[in-house]
Amino acid sequence: MEDSIVQAMGDLVAEHGYASVTVDQVVTRAGTNKPAFYRRFKHLAEVVPQILISRHGTDEDIDTGTLVGDLIEVQRRQRRLFTDPVVTRGFTGWLSHIEATPEIGAPFFRDYLAPRRAYTQIILNRAVERSEVTVATDSAWIADLLTGPLVMRAVMPGLPPIDDRLVAQTIHAALDALGYQGDRPTISSIGIT
């Protein structure tokens, strides 16, 4: 039943935006009822990390054998994430919801964002072990360098779409911040799409 609720809410957010979705709509689409919803989730915001995990997984399986390869794979996944209608139609409504009631955002940060950001440290530690970089610079900053420009393009009206050039620039910015001295990928070699 939890999978049905997650799928239903993801579909509704993609169709109507997060702010327009109600528990009644979710349970109707999922073929269940409110008590079943509330046995699994306290509120709609708690479903969000499950939607993202079900649609985009985690980064914990990324291990290409090189720092550049790992960063390219991270950004491939982030491009899919930030062009997903669940995110493009739902992100601002969800942010507004958690801004009004910050504690309801805790499951997203705990279950989805924190593990992804922590995995950035693992990627950097492996790069140090392979002598690709000399120190695993602040992984939170590297995660921000990779993610920030994509978030801006995903949610700010009037900005160009997320494209290969932007994704390549984020990878190069991260490599620069890490002091990476190896070969740099070109836009065409990244093959993000």
Side-chain angles (χ1 to χ4, degrees), residues 10-187:
D11 292 346
L12 287 164
V13 169
E15 293 166 16
H16 306 289
Y18 178 87
S20 299
V21 176
T22 66
V23 172
D24 286 329
Q25 292 171 317
V26 172
V27 298
T28 298
R29 177 78 62 100
T32 189
N33 54 47
K34 282 184 170 181
F37 177 91
Y38 287 114
R39 278 193 299 275
R40 291 161 178 83
F41 302 102
K42 294 177 186 170
H43 38 72
L44 290 173
E46 200 170 73
V47 185
V48 170
Q50 300 309 313
I51 294 169
L52 297 176
I53 290 167
S54 73
R55 292 172 75 101
H56 299 284
T58 66
D59 288 345
E60 295 173 353
D61 61 329
I62 295 175
D63 186 0
T64 66
T66 68
L67 174 61
V68 170
D70 287 352
L71 295 181
I72 289 171
E73 184 57 26
V74 166
Q75 291 308 78
R76 281 187 180 127
R77 293 176 188 204
Q78 290 213 103
R79 183 177 189 175
R80 285 191 298 270
L81 171 71
F82 289 114
T83 57
D84 182 340
V86 166
V87 174
T88 60
R89 306 253 357 249
F91 193 64
T92 55
W94 176 79
L95 283 177
S96 177
H97 190 189
I98 67 164
E99 180 181 3
T101 317
E103 64 274 5
I104 66 173
F108 169 79
F109 295 105
R110 180 191 65 233
D111 300 338
Y112 186 73
L113 189 60
R116 290 172 71 98
R117 290 176 68 84
Y119 198 71
T120 302
Q121 185 66 57
I122 293 169
I123 288 172
L124 299 182
N125 290 343
R126 287 195 311 241
V128 170
E129 290 169 11
R130 292 187 299 254
S131 299
E132 293 174 292
V133 294
T134 57
V135 66
T137 300
D138 181 2
S139 64
W141 173 238
I142 299 303
D144 291 346
L145 280 174
L146 294 169
T147 305
L150 278 65
V151 171
M152 287 292 295
R153 295 275 181 99
V155 301
M156 295 299 292
L159 292 180
I162 297 169
D163 59 13
D164 288 346
R165 180 176 170 77
L166 175 69
V167 173
Q169 288 171 324
T170 63
I171 294 168
H172 284 252
L175 292 171
D176 288 345
L178 291 166
Y180 179 77
Q181 298 297 314
D183 292 334
R184 301 296 179 103
T186 62
I187 294 171

